[in-house]
Amino acid sequence: MGGIRVVARIRPQQNTGIERDCIVSAASIDGDTSSQPKLVRIPNYKNENEVYSFQFSSVYDQHSTQQTIFDNEISPTIKHLFNGYDVTIFAYGVTGTGKTFTMRGGKSLAERGIIPRLLSSTYRRCRKIEKDSAGKTAVGITLSYYEIYNDKVFDLLEAPEKRTPTGLHLRDNGGKTVVVGLTERPCESLKEFEKIYDQANINRSTSATKLNAHSSRSHAILCFKVTMTTGDDVRVSTASAIDLAGSEDNRRTDNGKDRLVESASINKSLFVLAKCVEAISQNQARIPYRESKMTRILSLGQNNGLTVMILNLAPSRSYHLDTISSLNFANRTKKIETREIENEPITKGCSRAVPAVTGSSMQRQPLRPLASTVHNAAVGAKPVFQKGVKSAKSFSVYSDRPRSSGALAHITKDTINRLSPLKRPSDAGYLAFSRPAKRRSPNCTNRPSATMSRAAIEDMIEEKITGILAVRALDHSSAAPVPEISDEVQRRLELLEQKVDSQDNSQDQGLSFLLMAKQHAVRGEDKSALRMFLLAREYFPDNAKLKLKIERLQKKLPETTAVGGKGSGAIIDAGVSGGATRPTETANEVRDSRDDEERGGRRGVDDDYYRDPDEVSEAACDSDDSFRYRPRTKKRALKPATNSIRHDEGSSAADTPRTKRLLEIVNSQDIRRLRLLRGVGVKKAEAMIEALCGGEDGDDGGHIVVHSLAQLGQLRGVGVRTVENMRSGLEEL
C-alpha cells in the first residue's frame, strides 16, 4: 500500500514589479538536510500575522524549471511502468495557475511539459529494452486522447464534425472504467506522437477569460498503453496524464453565457472530486464516484498503481482564498492510500484454468448432456423423408388420448448412442421415449352417462315456475289493501295544495322585494329602496317595521310623496291596486331586476340610473313614472346627454375644493388623470369617458358636464361608493 504523491509548484509572478503581492512561499522543514523544500507557507486571510504551513512530498518555487520537476518526480515512475504498474499523473489548481503549461509546456525545448518528456523517455527505454533483449522482446505504444467537456466525453483524435451530441459512454471492465468507441492509434516514434498530439490539442475546447487568455474549458486525458511481448507472454501497462480544468469564480472571470455553462460544469466536477476525497479520508461506505464522469475516470483510491498529483499555486494576493482551498484539498488527497499492484502477464493461446474446487471439500463434476430425452435424440437424428408420407412431430404434447408409438419407431436406443457417444446411457427400465400421458381418475372411467327425456325436462321446469308464482302470490296477499279516496276529498286536497303554493309564492316574492330594498338602502339608493318597500307592503300589510321604514324614507325624500306628481310612491300605489294581474307582472319584472342587481353587483356598477334607450323613450327618461326592471341585454347603449341627469340634485359638498377638483378631473375626460383616482381602473375610466361624450343636446357641444356629485354618481359605471372612494382618494394625491 502506498499513498498519493503530492507535489506543489508555485507559478512565477506575472507582474514582476509588484513584490508585495507575493504571499505564497516554499520552505524547508526544520532539521531536514535535503535541499528540496517540502513546506508551503501562506498567511491567514483575516490575520496576516498568522501563517499556515502545508507539508507535501516536494515543493517547487517560482524559479524551478520543467526539467527539474520531470527529473525529480516523473522520471522515476517510468521504470515502474515497464514493470507492469499503471501510472496516473494529474495537475490540479485554480484557473490561471499554470496547469496546462506544466503538463503540455511550450514550443521551445526547455519549456516542454511533462507529457512530451514522458513520451520521449518512454521511447528511449523501449529501444533500450529491445536492444538489450536482442530482439526477443517487442515493445509497442498505443495512444488515445479525449476530453470531458460539459460532463460529456469527446474523442480528440477524431474531427469535431464527427462528434455526437451525447458523446462517448463509459463502461466498467474488470474494475477499470473504459470509454466505449475511443480511438486508439499506434505510435512508432516520438515524431509521430508530436504530430498527433499537436493536431489533437487543436480540437480541445479552449477560450479566453478575464484571468487567462487560453483557458482550458475541459478536462483532457491522455492515455498510452505500453505492450511488452516476450515469446508467448504479453504484459500491458497504462500511463494516464490528466490536465484538469481549473475552478473559476465567475465574479472575477467575467464570463458570458456560454462560459458560464462551461464554468458550472467544471466547478461541479471538481466539487464531486472534493466530495470523493472527503469520503475516502473519513472512511465512508459510499464514495460518490459516479456523480461525475471525471471522478469516475480518475477513480482516486481505486486504481492499482502509482498516482502523482501536481498542485499548481498562484503566489499573488488576488488568489488568496482559492490558494488556501487548493492547499486544503491537496492536504486531504495525500492521505489517500492506493494499491500498487503489478499487472499480470497474459499468455498467448491459453486461457486461465478454471479451478475445480470451489469450496473446502466440495468438488463439482462437469455436466454432460442427457441422452434419455426424445428432444435430444430427435435433434441429433436426421429424419428420412419419403415421398407422399407426412413427417411426424418430434416433440411431445400432453393429451388425454393414447398416442401410438409409431411416430418415433425409427429412433432406437442404438441410434441415440451412435449419434451422441458422449451422452450417458439411459436407465434400464426406460422403455418408451415419449412423455407419459396424463393419468385419468378412476371415477371417470365407470361414470354412467346422464340421460333425461324431453318430457321429464318440461315437467321439472313447470314445477319450478309453479313454486315461484305461489311464493309471489303469498307476498302480495300479506300486504294491507289501500282504501280508495272519494272525488270530494281529492278535490279538497287539490284546492288546499293550490292555496299553500300561492301563499308560499307570495311570501317568496315579498321577501325578494325586502331583500332588494335592503341592498338599495345599503348603497345609498333611497328612491329604489322606497319602491321595493312599497312593493313588499302588499305581501306584508300588517308589518309595523315595514311601515316605519317606509315613513322614514318618505320623510327623507319628500318629493316622492306628492299625490298626482312624478314621485315613485304614488305611481307604485296606483300600479299595485290597478288590477289582479299586477302582482304576477311585477314578480316577473322584479325577478329580472334581481338578476340585473346580481350581475351589476359583481361589477360594481349601479344599474338603477340608466336603461336601454331602444326600449325606453325620452319621456320615460325625464321622469321616474316609468320605473320598470328589465333584464340587461348583452350590449348596452349609452344614455342621452343630460336628459337623464337631475341638475337639481346637488350635494352640500359641491362647494368644497376637493369636490371641485374631482369634478374638474372628471370633466377633463383625461383617461390618465381618471386612472389616478382611487377605485378607477382602465375599463371604468373608459366607460366614464364614453358616458360623458355620448350626449347630443348637452352642454359644451354635445358633451356632458357634471356639476355635482349626484350627477357624477348617475354616470354609467359610477355609483355612490365609487364617488366616495374617488373623493376620499384626492387627499393622497
Side-chain angles (χ1 to χ4, degrees):
M1 298 292 289
I4 296 178
R5 183 177 178 85
V6 178
V7 179
R9 183 182 186 183
I10 303 174
R11 187 202 66 190
Q13 186 76 322
Q14 293 179 350
N15 192 353
T16 56
I18 305 176
E19 294 294 340
R20 64 178 181 274
D21 287 341
C22 185
I23 59 175
V24 182
S25 61
S28 301
I29 302 175
D30 296 339
D32 189 6
T33 58
S34 62
S35 59
Q36 184 63 42
K38 294 185 178 181
L39 292 179
V40 175
R41 298 186 184 276
I42 183 172
N44 188 358
Y45 182 77
K46 297 181 179 180
N47 184 12
E48 294 189 358
N49 294 327
E50 181 182 0
V51 179
Y52 295 144
S53 297
F54 296 88
Q55 181 179 354
F56 301 110
S57 300
S58 298
V59 177
Y60 295 89
D61 57 8
Q62 305 176 18
H63 306 288
S64 59
T65 61
Q66 299 274 59
Q67 184 67 37
T68 303
I69 296 175
F70 178 79
D71 292 341
N72 296 340
E73 307 299 335
I74 309 302
S75 182
T77 61
I78 298 177
K79 62 179 181 180
H80 296 285
L81 180 64
F82 283 90
N83 290 333
Y85 292 94
D86 293 339
V87 178
T88 302
I89 304 168
F90 69 97
Y92 180 89
V94 190
T95 180
T97 55
K99 299 182 298 299
T100 303
F101 179 80
T102 301
M103 299 300 293
R104 188 194 305 179
K107 293 296 183 180
S108 63
L109 187 63
E111 292 180 351
R112 287 194 308 167
I114 290 176
I115 293 177
R117 295 177 186 271
L118 178 62
L119 266 297
S120 178
S121 300
T122 302
Y123 279 112
R124 287 198 303 268
R125 193 171 185 86
C126 289
R127 291 193 296 267
K128 183 177 183 302
I129 291 175
E130 291 176 351
K131 183 178 180 181
D132 294 343
S133 62
K136 295 181 180 180
T137 301
V139 183
I141 296 177
T142 306
L143 181 69
S144 61
Y145 194 22
Y146 58 96
E147 69 173 353
I148 304 176
Y149 177 72
N150 287 342
D151 207 32
K152 297 177 183 178
V153 180
F154 297 105
D155 192 354
L156 293 177
L157 298 181
E158 295 290 342
E161 295 80 11
K162 297 183 179 180
R163 294 181 177 180
T164 59
T166 58
L168 303 178
H169 300 281
L170 303 181
R171 296 291 184 269
D172 293 333
N173 183 16
K176 296 182 180 181
T177 302
V178 296
V179 181
V180 180
L182 187 63
T183 303
E184 293 184 354
R185 292 186 184 180
C187 294
E188 301 296 336
S189 62
L190 180 62
K191 186 177 181 180
E192 184 180 358
F193 162 75
E194 290 178 350
K195 181 180 179 181
I196 297 174
Y197 186 61
D198 292 340
Q199 181 63 33
N201 286 327
I202 298 175
N203 299 332
R204 187 182 177 186
S205 301
T206 57
S207 180
T209 63
K210 191 175 181 180
L211 298 180
N212 191 355
H214 301 281
S215 176
S216 301
R217 314 310 297 168
S218 63
H219 309 294
I221 298 97
L222 174 69
C223 297
F224 61 92
K225 293 182 180 179
V226 178
T227 305
M228 300 176 60
T229 305
T230 305
D232 294 336
D233 294 339
V234 179
R235 187 188 298 271
V236 180
S237 55
T238 305
S240 301
I242 304 173
D243 180 15
L244 298 179
S247 59
E248 295 181 349
D249 187 355
N250 294 316
R251 295 170 296 183
R252 299 176 57 200
T253 55
D254 197 13
N255 289 330
K257 181 180 178 182
D258 296 335
R259 304 289 84 80
L260 282 175
V261 176
E262 298 168 353
S263 177
S265 178
I266 294 170
N267 291 339
K268 177 187 174 183
S269 60
L270 294 175
F271 176 70
V272 175
L273 178 61
K275 288 174 60 178
C276 294
V277 173
E278 185 69 20
I280 295 173
S281 61
Q282 294 180 1
N283 295 325
Q284 295 182 4
R286 179 186 177 276
I287 302 173
Y289 288 115
R290 291 182 173 269
E291 293 185 7
S292 174
K293 291 185 178 180
M294 186 268 288
T295 56
R296 188 176 175 185
I297 292 173
L298 189 57
S299 298
L300 288 179
Q302 283 191 335
N303 48 2
N304 301 329
L306 285 79
T307 304
V308 179
M309 171 183 172
I310 301 176
L311 176 63
N312 293 87
L313 303 174
S316 60
R317 188 179 299 274
S318 59
Y319 288 87
H320 200 158
L321 290 178
D322 295 330
T323 303
I324 293 178
S325 178
S326 300
L327 290 170
N328 288 327
F329 172 79
N331 193 40
R332 291 192 298 267
T333 304
K334 71 178 183 180
K335 300 176 184 178
I336 298 176
E337 295 183 353
T338 58
R339 298 184 297 272
E340 299 179 1
I341 300 177
E342 180 183 354
N343 295 327
E344 297 180 0
I346 302 174
T347 304
K348 293 183 179 180
C350 181
S351 59
R352 292 184 179 180
V354 179
V357 180
T358 57
S360 59
S361 61
M362 181 179 66
Q363 294 184 357
R364 180 172 295 178
Q365 184 179 3
L367 298 177
R368 292 182 298 170
L370 298 177
S372 59
T373 59
V374 179
H375 178 68
N376 293 338
V379 172
K382 295 182 179 180
V384 180
F385 298 97
Q386 297 180 4
K387 187 175 181 180
V389 180
K390 186 177 180 180
S391 60
K393 294 180 180 180
S394 59
F395 55 87
S396 299
V397 179
Y398 278 111
S399 177
D400 293 338
R401 296 176 298 176
R403 64 176 63 192
S404 60
S405 60
L408 300 175
H410 62 280
I411 302 176
T412 61
K413 187 175 181 181
D414 296 337
T415 304
I416 296 173
N417 294 335
R418 183 173 63 256
L419 293 175
S420 181
L422 298 178
K423 294 182 179 180
R424 296 195 302 264
S426 60
D427 297 337
Y430 186 84
L431 299 178
F433 296 101
S434 62
R435 184 176 295 176
K438 291 182 178 180
R439 296 179 60 187
R440 291 188 177 185
S441 175
N443 297 332
C444 296
T445 57
N446 300 327
R447 182 180 299 172
S449 60
T451 57
M452 290 184 67
S453 62
R454 184 174 182 179
I457 294 175
E458 291 179 356
D459 294 341
M460 184 177 63
I461 294 174
E462 184 177 0
E463 183 180 357
K464 293 284 186 182
I465 294 174
T466 304
I468 293 172
L469 293 176
V471 172
R472 290 182 179 179
L474 291 175
D475 294 340
H476 286 295
S477 61
S478 60
V482 179
E484 296 183 358
I485 302 175
S486 61
D487 296 339
E488 183 67 19
V489 175
Q490 185 69 27
R491 186 176 60 83
R492 291 182 178 179
L493 289 175
E494 292 177 358
L495 292 175
L496 183 60
E497 289 178 357
Q498 293 178 2
K499 185 177 180 180
V500 172
D501 293 340
S502 62
Q503 290 180 358
D504 293 341
N505 293 335
S506 62
Q507 288 183 359
D508 292 341
Q509 293 175 3
L511 291 176
S512 64
F513 290 147
L514 289 176
L515 179 60
M516 286 189 288
K518 291 181 179 179
Q519 293 177 353
H520 286 298
V522 169
R523 289 185 292 183
E525 302 164 2
D526 296 335
K527 292 182 180 180
S528 301
L530 180 59
R531 296 189 188 102
M532 294 297 104
F533 281 133
L534 291 174
L535 289 173
R537 187 175 60 181
E538 177 189 357
Y539 301 97
F540 307 101
D542 300 331
N543 196 321
K545 292 184 178 180
L546 180 59
K547 293 180 180 179
L548 182 60
K549 290 182 179 180
I550 293 174
E551 292 176 357
R552 289 178 179 175
L553 289 176
Q554 288 176 349
K555 292 178 181 179
K556 189 175 182 180
L557 302 173
E559 67 274 8
T560 60
T561 59
V563 180
K566 296 183 180 181
S568 61
I571 297 299
I572 292 176
D573 290 342
V576 170
S577 61
T581 60
R582 179 62 181 172
T584 305
E585 296 176 0
T586 305
N588 295 332
E589 296 170 1
V590 171
R591 188 179 299 107
D592 297 337
S593 174
R594 188 189 311 164
D595 298 337
D596 292 344
E597 292 297 330
E598 292 177 357
R599 291 191 294 266
R602 287 192 295 267
R603 295 190 301 270
V605 179
D606 188 3
D607 295 335
D608 187 53
Y609 294 100
Y610 60 90
R611 301 179 183 87
D612 194 346
D614 297 335
E615 299 179 2
V616 184
S617 62
E618 289 187 2
C621 295
D622 291 338
S623 63
D624 296 330
D625 298 331
S626 59
F627 172 78
R628 294 187 65 188
Y629 281 86
R630 288 185 173 87
R632 289 178 56 188
T633 58
K634 185 176 182 180
K635 182 178 180 181
R636 303 190 64 102
L638 297 175
K639 289 196 311 180
T642 57
N643 297 333
S644 61
I645 299 179
R646 300 286 300 272
H647 294 280
D648 56 347
E649 293 178 0
S651 175
S652 61
D655 298 331
T656 61
R658 187 166 54 178
T659 302
K660 291 180 180 180
R661 185 180 179 187
L662 175 61
L663 296 177
E664 188 268 332
I665 293 174
V666 173
N667 291 326
S668 67
Q669 299 182 8
D670 189 356
I671 190 171
R672 293 178 298 177
R673 299 180 66 185
L674 289 174
R675 287 183 58 186
L676 295 176
L677 298 175
R678 178 187 293 178
V680 179
V682 178
K683 293 184 178 180
K684 185 170 289 189
E686 292 177 353
M688 293 171 62
I689 294 175
E690 290 178 2
L692 293 172
C693 297
E696 297 179 356
D697 300 330
D699 300 335
D700 197 9
H703 294 279
I704 297 175
V705 179
V706 181
H707 299 283
S708 64
L709 296 180
Q711 295 178 3
L712 179 60
Q714 294 177 358
L715 290 178
R716 181 178 182 179
V718 183
V720 177
R721 290 187 178 179
T722 305
V723 173
E724 293 178 356
N725 291 335
M726 291 190 296
R727 189 169 178 272
S728 62
L730 289 176
E731 297 178 357
E732 302 176 359
L733 295 177

